[in-house]
Each structure stands twice: as C-alpha cells, then as structure tokens.
Amino acid sequence: MTTTTTAQLESFNPATGELVGSVPITPPEDIPAIVARAREALKSWGSLSAQERADIIRPAGKALADRADELGELLTREMGKPLGEGVGECRGTGEGLSDEVDEIAKAVAPETLTGEAVTTTLYHDPLGVCAAITPWNFPLAMPHWMVMPALVTGNTVVLKPSEQTPLIAQAYADVLNQFLPEGVLQVVHGADDQGKALVAADVDLIAFTGSKAVGQKIMQSAAGGLKRLILELGSKDPLIVLEGADLDAAATFAARNSFRNCGQVCVSTERIYVQDSVKDQFLSKLIEQSKAYTVGDGMDEATVVGPMIDENQKNHVVAQVQDATGKGAKVVFGGEPRDGRFMSPTVLDNVTHEMDIMKTETFGPIACVMGVRDIEQAVELANDSEYGLGGAVFGPEDKARAIARRLTSAMVGINRGLGGAPGSPWVGAKQSGYSYHSGPMGHRQFCQVRVVSEARAE
Ligand code: NAD
C-alpha cells in the first residue's frame, strides 16, 4: 500500500525555538481550484443583505472572546509577544466583533440621492473573491482587519496568513467557519509561492498588509487583470517633540511606541525629532522610561518585550544600529547583544539622515533621537521619507495642531498616539499604502459601487 504524505509548514516559538505545531502546506497548483470554490460560494453569500451576513457572523465574536485565553497563549507561543498582549488581541477582536459587523453593514446600505428630475440609488455590491494576504506582527488582528469587512460586504475570502504564524490564523478561521457556509472563508498556507499563486488566480480584490517590497510585486502582478487592491504597507513614523511639551508624556509615549511588540508595529515610532532646547531633558526621561521594558519569553509574567520574529529581522536591526554607530550615533541606553532572537530596547542619540536607520523601516526596538533647531527643520525632516503612515507631535496645542496639518503622514496624533475615534479609517499616504480600510469609508473599499438612476415621478 502506498501512502502520500502532505508537506507540513512547521511553526516554531521565536523565544525558545520549540516546535509549536504545523499545518499542511497548500500546493500552489491547488490554489485555482480553491478560488473556484470561493467563486461558487459567492453566488449565495453575495446575494444576502449585509445585515443578514452580519447576523450570521455575529456569534463568532463571543466564540473568539470565550476562547481568548487559549488562543492568546497560542498566539504568544507562535509569535512571541507578551501573553497579556496576545490574549488582549484575541479578546479585543472577539468583543468588538458584534458592533463591527453592524458598522460594516450600515456603511454599505443603499443610499438614495435626489435631483430635480432624477432619483439615484447607490449600491455597494461585493467585488467578488477577495484574496487576503497578511503579516505576522498582529497575527490574529491583521487577518481579521481584512477578512471581516470583506465578508460582511459580501465577498468570499481566501486567506493566506504569514508563514511565520499559520497556527493562530488557522484557529481564527476555524472559529469563523463554525458559523459561515462552506467555501465562504478558506485558508491557504505557505510563503511567497502561495502568495503569488493566489494573486495570479481568478480573484477580484487583493487585500494585503505587509512590506512595501511585496506590495510592489503584488501591484505589478495585479495589473494584468486590473484587480482591485488594498495595500497596507510599511512605514518610518516620526515623533516631533517641541519646546513646551509635557516631556514626561512625550517620553512615556516615545518608549512605549518604540518598544511595543519589540518595535514590530507598522506605526512604531521610528524617528524622534526633539527641539534642541529640551533634548537633554527629554533624553534622560526616555532613558528612565526605557528601564521598565524587561526583555524575555512572552510567557513569563515579567516580560514587557518579547523576541524578534526571526533571525533575519534581528540581523537587520543589529546591522542598522552598527551602521548608525559607525557614522556617529551614540548608544545611550541598551545596545548590548542578547542571545537567540532577543534584542535589547535601545536608545540612540545623534542620529542623522545619512544613516540607514533613519531611512529604511527598522521594525525593531530602537528609539532614534535627533535634535532639531526649530519647527521648520522638524517638519522638513519628518517629511523626508518615502513613507507616510503615522506620526505624532507633542507640544503646545496650537503649534502641534499646525504641525500635524503639515506632516505628509496620513494619520497623526497630537499629544497622543494616532488611534482615531470610532469610524476613522486606517490609511497610509505615500509609499505606506494604496487604498485603505476600517470605518465606513474603509469598509466601502471592499465594494463595487453601482449607480442606478430613474426619472422622478411627477
Ligand atoms: P511581508 O511583506 O514579508 O509578508 C506579508 C505577506 O505576504 C506574508 O503572508 C507573505 O507570505 C506574503 N508574500 C510574500 N511574498 C509574496 C508575493 N510575492 N506575493 C504575494 N504574497 C507574498 O511582510 P511581513 O514581514 O509579514 O510583515 C511586516 C511588514 O508588514 C512591515 O513592513 C510592516 O510595516 C507591515 N505592516 C503594515 C501594516 C499597516 O497597517 N500598514 C500593518 C502591519 C504590518
């Protein structure tokens, strides 16, 4: 008797190197048939109303929240972030789901416009089959951010999660699939070969979150079929600290937003510009704050900063720090090498735009501080980046508000982080993004608008 074995994608704990589990790798040649199944499922799923779809999915929120402890532990073991953050990612996603599906359904309800002689209805129809391709840094939230609006607006979805975090993404999809009809949400596993095959398959929309380099490849490949794109890419977010700022608040934010998730956040603070007159004071407060960021295995209670996701990512960060110190930057906190995939939260002073660490996305726990003469120089340097996702300004409100409007980033926080009020879209500018998601404006990006007009009755 012959037996065939399916190749497995193994997932390892970045803190310990231990095998956490495995999933079958999807052969790229199987992907067209998987997409065809999604297209078949679209016929009935797409014909429901958005509110009907929201009601079908709603119980998945409680199911996710009820299992938040177990899923959070899996997330931490697979990706490394502290357990509290892993559980929080799962619980927050589950608890917010019911309101979220209602918000999406409401955003895509038909709208009526009236002219003197014409009545027009705007319909937000599903685009069709959506390929959702996602990264590892928020390995449950990132798939959810793409999958949920795609589903509620009536698309069917083929999800390809990061090859670094397949287990938690599969667990997330399994929970949703307890409630969804067959074929509406499918998962394929693998790395770039599977990603390429999915983009090349008969999909109508590619909703991608990941690096700029991969985003560019996807855009090229999508051009042939003019496939719709949502690309949420990398960044190099600036923080500006002005004379007159609450320096304690600024330093607390700078440390948190540079070191959180080991710096592996698309809207991490990657560049800090501080007015010369307050730089020394700010720096000593930042160093003080940095001492609280204990490094370790995410499963240990004392850990605030877990490991980096892999050796390549760590090597990239170490190389950027070496390049910077070689060109005159000064390590004023951390910087010491650690074993395995761990990296010390590090504060660098005297950085300049001649250093790679102020140009290329770092995605590591490094706070880079540069003194600036005045507001003009701060704005000019902050905008000197190909990226434009987020940013923050700490300072007197009138000055900070004026600067916020001059930054080329798409999302800016004044004396706080960039998180917007409910309903705000998540959006990148420049080479950080192409199209966007979240909030009513974002949900409609998953739709084809159709405009139907008729003469008004006399
Ligand atoms: P990545 O671009 O390496 O991989 C992302 C996904 O793309 C993975 O699933 C990967 O397997 C797949 N992929 C790789 N090559 C592909 C190809 N040729 N065609 C199709 N798919 C392919 O990114 P990553 O290392 O997983 O994540 C880190 C990046 O994500 C950072 O740049 C970060 O800033 C960005 N990010 C952005 C946001 C945002 O909202 N803008 C959010 C989170 C992460």
Side-chain angles (χ1 to χ4, degrees), residues 133-138 142 145 160-164 190-197 199 208-215 217-218 231-235 264-267 309 313 361 363 387 389 426 432 437:
I133 303 180
T134 56
W136 48 265
N137 61 335
F138 289 88
M142 291 295 107
W145 277 22
K160 198 212 78 66
S162 170
E163 61 276 24
Q164 312 266 29
D192 39 346
D193 284 347
Q194 285 72 11
K196 281 181 210 156
V199 170
F208 171 77
T209 306
S211 62
K212 175 188 147 186
V214 173
K217 287 183 195 164
I218 289 177
L231 304 180
E232 295 293 342
L233 311 179
S235 193
Q264 301 168 131
V265 181
C266 53
V267 290
I309 190 71
Q313 190 53 31
E361 186 175 43
F363 232 54
Y387 290 114
L389 190 56
W426 184 267
S432 286
H437 62 83

Side-chain angles (χ1 to χ4, degrees), residues 301-379:
E301 224 173 286
T303 296
V304 186
V305 177
M308 307 226 61
I309 190 71
D310 62 21
E311 208 57 35
N312 285 343
Q313 190 53 31
K314 181 177 169 183
N315 291 342
H316 163 68
V317 177
V318 169
Q320 278 197 331
V321 171
Q322 279 170 355
D323 171 72
T325 51
K327 290 176 178 160
K330 202 166 138 209
V331 176
V332 292
F333 182 82
E336 73 268 17
R338 301 249 182 181
D339 291 341
R341 301 208 185 144
F342 295 98
M343 181 80 205
S344 300
T346 296
V347 180
L348 293 182
D349 187 16
N350 290 339
V351 295
T352 69
H353 277 219
E354 273 57 64
M355 300 165 185
D356 187 50
I357 204 158
M358 293 298 269
K359 295 277 187 195
T360 307
E361 186 175 43
T362 301
F363 232 54
I366 318 294
C368 298
V369 179
M370 179 171 180
V372 290
R373 277 188 315 276
D374 53 20
I375 286 176
E376 288 312 309
Q377 194 187 15
V379 171

